[in-house]
Amino acid sequence: MAFNNDLSVILPRVLIVSRRSVRKNKFVDFVGEYHLDLIVTYGAVPVIVPRVNGVHMLLDSFEPIHGVLLCEGEDIDPSLYEPETSGLSPEEIEEIRRLHASDTAVDKEKDSIELRLAKLCLERNIPYMGICRGSQVLNVACGGTLYQDIGKELTRKLPEDQRVVHMDYDNYDGHRHFVKVVENTPLHCWFKDSLEVGKMDILVNSYHHQGVKRLAQRFVPMAFAPDGLIEGFYDPDAYNPEEGKFIMGLQFHPERMRRSDSEEFDYPGCPSAYQEFVKAVLAYQKKLNISTALPKPLMLNKEMENKRKIIVRSFSLAKNLYTAGIEMNPTKQSELEAGAEFLESNTALSVQQENRLKQMGATVRNGSRYIEKLKLNEERDRLARNVMGKMSVEQLSDLMSFYHMMGQICSEVLERKLNGIVNDNAC
């Protein structure tokens, strides 16, 4: 299949960073299939960024980036958000590592890759959705902090009736706890049909021992657990999926909120985060394609730029002669020649050019001279065809390139310079 670099035919690309695991005594990279399936279902292409040493320096190679989805993974290096260990003793830290052995092994390369991607999204307004660890990455990227362990830093300080189990290894996919949805947020919009009358609670799954401690200033909470932990947040100034805006973090996993032994979601609103995220990705791609398709200014080499200035000077002089209605200084005759020669070479514009000369008053005293030369185009065309018939392919190619560029210059001069801008070049 031939490669096509036309951005308009590239399907929207969502970058997802893999997680490293060990299988048969070797490292393997993986991404949960639920994420991939939902991204594809709603019309985008997941592009997996491998968690391999050095990839954080190669992210430009994954352009164009239309969206970023960051999901599961190990704990984020605490040095990236806390100068100290939040008052935890060495014994407590060691106990946390034993309890959550699969999550507490810090992966610095994954941290580097994901933080760079998060900051890139924030800088360029690329749609970003963070699930679980991905929400924590987003908060840290914006200056927020995390609980290194919810149990040690939050739960044990609360009354029994406010405590929440956020990780249940014995009932991994089946475990649920309530969260209170904040009104007039995207989460409320997605789940409002499932809320009981007078209540704002839904049951969510939970697979984490860390969470948001101090929410970055730009974000607004969307849901709270009974212990006060923020379970979802977004940037209201960067949320409008129809316009390609989506910056959000969810601590729970809506893609895995499914009924036991079934692919059916707990609530109809569960896949909405992915649906709206991909909607934003599609809109962002469209905006990116439009901006990329804008024509770039014509760049001329030094010789061509000098010729352009001479032609502009000639047109400017002709216009001034007409406007002032004075006799032409004989010393200026050679300067008018450049404009005349250029106009006569543009045979495709001969009839229109004659009308334009009359309208714009390129000359009065010298206008007849221009027009007479333009009327010679038919004879010159015949002679030119005879001459070009004897030219080589290479010569014809060079000639065609030259006249294509000069045609662009002519359009610029006639449509812009003679309508006001040309006066700036008269002095």
Side-chain angles (χ1 to χ4, degrees):
M1 182 175 67
F3 175 73
N4 191 329
N5 61 1
D6 183 357
L7 292 181
S8 66
V9 299
I10 295 177
L11 292 174
R13 295 153 53 91
V14 175
L15 267 56
I16 307 177
V17 181
S18 66
R19 181 177 185 178
R20 185 171 69 173
S21 183
V22 177
R23 183 173 183 271
K24 296 181 178 179
N25 299 318
K26 293 181 180 179
F27 286 125
V28 294
D29 283 17
F30 71 93
V31 173
E33 191 169 305
Y34 280 147
H35 301 295
L36 306 178
D37 179 62
L38 287 167
I39 293 297
V40 171
T41 295
Y42 291 118
V45 174
V47 177
I48 298 176
V49 180
R51 194 243 64 93
V52 178
N53 290 336
V55 167
H56 69 280
M57 299 298 293
L58 304 174
L59 295 179
D60 288 346
S61 301
F62 291 90
E63 297 280 2
I65 302 171
H66 304 123
V68 171
L69 168 64
L70 299 185
C71 37
E72 56 267 295
E74 295 80 1
D75 294 349
I76 300 171
D77 185 351
S79 67
L80 295 171
Y81 58 87
E82 290 280 15
E84 300 177 355
T85 57
S86 303
L88 294 172
S89 68
E91 292 77 17
E92 288 174 320
I93 293 175
E94 185 58 34
E95 183 182 356
I96 292 167
R97 289 173 178 166
R98 288 197 306 269
L99 288 172
H100 310 287
S102 63
D103 294 319
T104 53
V106 170
D107 187 339
K108 292 182 180 293
E109 182 64 26
K110 186 175 174 68
D111 289 347
S112 297
I113 295 170
E114 295 191 341
L115 282 170
R116 286 191 179 221
L117 284 174
K119 291 176 181 178
L120 181 67
C121 290
L122 296 167
E123 291 168 4
R124 286 166 43 181
N125 295 316
I126 298 172
Y128 176 105
M129 183 162 69
I131 302 294
C132 197
R133 172 191 155 99
S135 68
Q136 298 170 12
V137 169
L138 179 60
N139 187 48
V140 170
C142 293
T145 62
L146 306 176
Y147 288 111
Q148 288 190 54
D149 186 74
I150 296 168
K152 298 293 184 185
E153 297 182 68
L154 178 63
T155 304
R156 69 181 180 183
K157 298 177 182 179
L158 297 173
E160 191 69 33
D161 61 346
Q162 294 181 18
R163 295 183 180 184
V164 176
V165 175
H166 290 278
M167 176 73 87
D168 185 349
Y169 289 108
D170 294 328
N171 188 23
Y172 197 67
D173 268 325
H175 176 60
R176 300 285 189 272
H177 68 72
F178 281 104
V179 298
K180 185 175 292 293
V181 177
V182 177
E183 194 172 5
N184 298 322
T185 62
L187 200 64
H188 178 227
C189 179
W190 301 336
F191 288 90
K192 63 183 179 181
D193 292 339
S194 300
L195 298 173
E196 295 182 19
V197 178
K199 295 185 178 181
M200 297 293 286
D201 299 323
I202 60 172
L203 282 167
V204 301
N205 51 15
S206 191
Y207 309 90
H208 60 103
H209 79 102
Q210 296 191 325
V212 171
K213 183 176 183 180
R214 186 183 74 247
L215 187 64
Q217 188 173 3
R218 68 183 290 166
F219 298 123
V220 171
M222 295 195 297
F224 292 92
D227 58 8
L229 189 73
I230 295 173
E231 292 276 344
F233 58 88
Y234 79 118
D235 182 346
D237 295 326
Y239 182 82
N240 190 329
E242 288 78 9
E243 294 183 3
K245 298 178 180 180
F246 193 106
I247 301 291
M248 180 179 294
L250 298 175
Q251 183 60 71
F252 57 95
H253 285 258
E255 82 285 356
R256 294 180 67 163
M257 288 171 57
R258 305 184 186 229
R259 302 187 186 281
S260 179
D261 300 322
S262 170
E263 292 297 289
E264 183 182 355
F265 287 106
D266 290 356
Y267 303 100
C270 287
S272 296
Y274 288 81
Q275 186 174 13
E276 295 302 299
F277 170 64
V278 174
K279 182 187 295 183
V281 169
L282 291 165
Y284 179 83
Q285 183 203 29
K286 185 176 181 180
K287 289 198 302 184
L288 186 65
N289 287 350
I290 292 173
S291 64
T292 305
L294 291 176
K296 295 182 179 179
L298 182 64
M299 301 299 293
L300 304 177
N301 60 33
K302 187 174 182 181
E303 180 181 359
M304 295 293 287
E305 178 62 20
N306 288 336
K307 289 181 180 179
R308 186 188 71 83
K309 289 180 179 178
I310 292 171
I311 293 169
V312 170
R313 170 69 179 171
S314 177
F315 289 158
S316 176
L317 179 61
K319 183 180 180 182
N320 288 342
L321 285 171
Y322 169 72
T323 303
I326 59 176
E327 294 288 338
M328 184 183 69
N329 188 326
T331 61
K332 302 293 186 180
Q333 179 70 34
S334 61
E335 293 188 43
L336 287 173
E337 290 286 344
E341 291 174 1
F342 177 69
L343 288 173
E344 72 184 45
S345 69
N346 288 275
T347 59
L349 300 174
S350 57
V351 176
Q352 296 175 350
Q353 190 61 54
E354 182 173 342
N355 294 331
R356 180 62 61 85
L357 284 169
K358 292 177 181 177
Q359 295 169 6
M360 299 302 298
T363 69
V364 167
R365 305 183 186 283
N366 302 289
S368 60
R369 177 172 173 272
Y370 279 88
I371 295 172
E372 287 173 3
K373 287 192 174 184
L374 288 172
K375 288 181 177 179
L376 293 175
N377 279 340
E378 185 176 351
E379 176 62 20
R380 292 177 184 272
D381 181 67
R382 185 182 65 81
L383 294 174
R385 289 179 183 277
N386 290 337
V387 172
M388 285 189 284
K390 301 175 183 179
M391 296 172 67
S392 67
V393 173
E394 182 177 1
Q395 289 173 323
L396 286 170
S397 178
D398 291 342
L399 185 65
M400 184 172 65
S401 297
F402 174 79
Y403 275 100
H404 176 71
M405 180 171 290
M406 294 304 288
Q408 291 178 288
I409 297 171
C410 179
S411 177
E412 177 188 348
V413 171
L414 295 177
E415 297 300 328
R416 296 176 57 193
K417 299 295 183 181
L418 289 179
N419 285 309
I421 300 177
V422 68
N423 290 325
D424 297 333
N425 296 282
C427 56

